[in-house]
Amino acid sequence: MDNATPLPDGRDLIRTMGWLPLPYSCVGVVRKTATSGRNTVWSWLILIPWASDSKPWMDGTEVVGASTKTEDEERETIIDHMRELLDRRYGETVGNRAVDDLIRSIQDES
């Protein structure tokens, strides 16, 4: 291999995977992974780059039963589920931190 040719680091490939912005400075990806009978299986992954108290990701699968929803509508349902998980896990903590930061900035201005 030519030493002048840099090795790919994967960032360009990651950008093409369809990562979407999520609340709390997270990103996620959703993939339709299988169809079984009339059910659809979706896999999802949320990256939490700032998490220091636990693993920096959440992942799971969801089975969507036979419905009249389009694939895009099913995907949006899974994305909504991901947002709800983040709200349940971080909503109160992040909200309280935001209030504390606001009060601190007001006090610093006086």
Side-chain angles (χ1 to χ4, degrees):
M1 181 168 179
D2 181 2
N3 286 338
T5 305
L7 291 173
D9 64 6
R11 283 183 269 194
D12 289 334
L13 292 174
I14 289 172
R15 286 183 191 100
T16 65
M17 292 175 62
W19 289 93
L20 52 117
L22 291 170
Y24 312 106
S25 300
C26 299
V27 293
V29 67
V30 178
R31 295 278 187 257
K32 181 177 172 181
T33 55
T35 303
S36 172
R38 296 174 47 130
N39 297 327
T40 304
V41 180
W42 291 86
S43 297
W44 54 268
L45 172 69
I46 301 170
L47 295 181
I48 310 160
W50 49 265
S52 60
D53 60 340
S54 63
K55 63 183 183 183
W57 73 88
M58 292 191 307
D59 61 335
T61 56
E62 301 294 324
V63 177
V64 177
S67 71
T68 58
K69 289 183 177 181
T70 66
E71 187 171 314
D72 287 340
E73 290 170 332
E74 286 184 5
R75 178 183 307 281
E76 283 303 315
T77 300
I78 303 304
I79 293 169
D80 289 344
H81 173 70
M82 295 163 67
R83 288 184 177 118
E84 288 173 18
L85 288 173
L86 287 169
D87 282 344
R88 275 190 258 141
R89 187 167 181 179
Y90 298 113
E92 186 174 332
T93 301
V94 171
N96 287 342
R97 188 177 313 133
V99 169
D100 291 342
D101 290 346
L102 175 63
I103 291 170
R104 192 174 306 111
S105 72
I106 291 170
Q107 290 172 338
D108 289 346
E109 290 176 6
S110 9

